[in-house]
Amino acid sequence: MEQIDENVADVINESKDDFYDEYYYLKPDSEKSGWEKFCDGCKSFANWCKDNWEYICAAVVAVIVVVAIVVACVVTFGGAAVLLAAAVGAIVSFAGQLISDIITFVRTGEWNGSIQGYLGAILGGIAGGCVLLLTGGNAIIASSVEAAISTLFSESVDALRGSEKRPIWEILLDTTISAGISALFCKGFDKLSGKISKLFSSKIPALKRLTGRGSYGACFKGAITRLKRGSYKKFGVKSIRNGVVDGLFGGTVGTIFSGSGLSDWMSGGISSGIQWIFKRDTDIPSDGFLVKMPEIEPIPELDLLPLTFQLQ
């Protein structure tokens, strides 16, 4: 009797294996071996990469650009100056993003901050700080690069995480608009930020070093210059503090403008306008000509009740 049971079990197992060989997608995980589960995981990852390769490439490109900028700075100015500029840029950009999110939360009651947003801000800050060195202190170019890197990375990772799936061209469009608006803010609000710094320095004794020859900004620029020339081989916490304080107060207006929602409003308005220009009420077929889709008359509903009685 036991021999018969064993034979029947072998036949059943063989039939089951043949069935799963032909219809593998029906095989439950409990029936799979460790190697099969590993292969399934690799296949799922490959399919995920295939479906999201555009966003992966965009995020990787943002990181590669930052690495390239840092390497170029290190080769040109040495490691100490680059480390100080990158550290200050990362801290200022991260703090600015955090302050902007706090202002938005107070205004709307919703927290919009995200890990990818802060990582993007840090990457953008590193790139912006190094670009300041490469361009001899051109804040407009540095601000544009910082905004572009931050937007490209954060929105690409947003799409990869599935929190906001958008076409890659929209992300590239947002990146371009963000860089342009950042340059506009830097150019338009530079003098206003300087006046705010003077106001704080005159009213608050603890902040009197915001302007003047011995200001935080002047001391930070002096440290950068000495590190670039090789007069200094290292820097201290005070140099980082000087750069962070100067950067935060220098970007006060831009941070408030971003947190108030006006920056997003401008960016969204420009993006919507461009999309409206290219996507009206027409459809673009594969041959590239604009044609109006013909209207299809609806199919009239059929009364099947008499037919049902006839069949009975």
Side-chain angles (χ1 to χ4, degrees):
M1 192 67 179
E2 292 180 0
Q3 183 65 32
I4 295 175
D5 292 340
E6 290 179 0
N7 293 336
V8 172
D10 291 339
V11 172
I12 293 174
N13 288 330
E14 185 177 354
S15 301
K16 183 173 66 173
D17 292 339
D18 293 339
F19 175 79
Y20 286 143
D21 288 340
E22 186 173 357
Y23 305 101
Y24 179 76
Y25 60 91
L26 295 176
K27 190 173 185 178
D29 291 337
S30 58
E31 297 283 345
K32 294 179 182 179
S33 63
W35 174 251
E36 288 176 327
K37 292 179 180 179
F38 174 76
C39 292
D40 288 347
C42 292
K43 185 177 180 180
S44 298
F45 178 73
N47 291 332
W48 179 81
C49 291
K50 181 181 178 181
D51 295 336
N52 298 279
W53 68 270
E54 295 172 320
Y55 307 112
I56 296 173
C57 289
V60 171
V61 165
V63 175
I64 290 176
V65 169
V66 174
V67 172
I69 292 173
V70 171
V71 170
C73 280
V74 170
V75 172
T76 306
F77 304 110
V82 175
L83 183 58
L84 177 57
V88 170
I91 295 172
V92 170
S93 184
F94 173 82
Q97 181 66 46
L98 180 60
I99 294 171
S100 177
D101 289 337
I102 292 173
I103 295 174
T104 302
F105 175 75
V106 172
R107 181 175 58 87
T108 64
E110 297 181 1
W111 181 258
N112 295 326
S114 63
I115 296 176
Q116 57 268 23
Y118 295 124
L119 287 177
I122 291 172
L123 285 175
I126 292 173
C130 291
V131 168
L132 273 176
L133 291 179
L134 289 174
T135 59
N138 192 318
I140 296 177
I141 297 177
S143 177
S144 298
V145 171
E146 176 184 344
I149 294 295
S150 177
T151 302
L152 181 62
F153 180 84
S154 61
E155 291 195 5
S156 298
V157 176
D158 269 340
L160 288 174
R161 297 185 64 185
S163 55
E164 189 175 2
K165 203 75 169 182
R166 304 168 60 197
I168 188 63
W169 68 267
E170 284 191 11
I171 294 177
L172 296 177
L173 179 61
D174 280 354
T175 299
T176 305
I177 294 173
S178 178
I181 291 178
S182 182
L184 180 64
F185 285 177
C186 186
K187 180 67 175 177
F189 295 147
D190 182 53
K191 292 182 179 180
L192 183 58
S193 296
K195 291 181 179 179
I196 292 176
S197 296
K198 289 182 179 179
L199 178 64
F200 276 110
S201 63
S202 61
K203 299 295 183 181
I204 304 175
L207 298 177
K208 63 182 180 180
R209 286 188 59 196
L210 289 176
T211 57
R213 296 182 60 183
S215 65
Y216 295 110
C219 292
F220 173 71
K221 292 175 182 177
I224 287 289
T225 301
R226 294 183 182 92
L227 289 171
K228 287 167 60 176
R229 293 175 178 175
S231 302
Y232 285 177
K233 299 299 182 182
K234 58 183 180 179
F235 58 88
V237 178
K238 289 184 178 181
S239 297
I240 298 177
R241 178 207 63 188
N242 293 338
V244 170
V245 173
D246 179 64
L248 287 177
F249 277 92
T252 301
V253 178
T255 301
I256 296 174
F257 199 80
S258 177
S260 65
L262 294 176
S263 176
D264 292 337
W265 178 79
M266 287 181 61
S267 178
I270 296 172
S271 179
S272 299
I274 294 175
Q275 293 182 43
W276 180 84
I277 292 173
F278 290 99
K279 295 170 63 177
R280 300 193 191 180
D281 293 332
T282 54
D283 295 297
I284 304 177
S286 58
D287 59 2
F289 293 99
L290 296 177
V291 296
K292 190 71 176 180
M293 296 299 294
E295 295 182 0
I296 301 176
E297 296 183 0
I299 300 175
E301 297 182 0
L302 298 177
D303 188 4
L304 300 179
L305 187 59
L307 180 61
T308 304
F309 284 115
Q310 290 180 10
L311 292 176
Q312 290 177 352

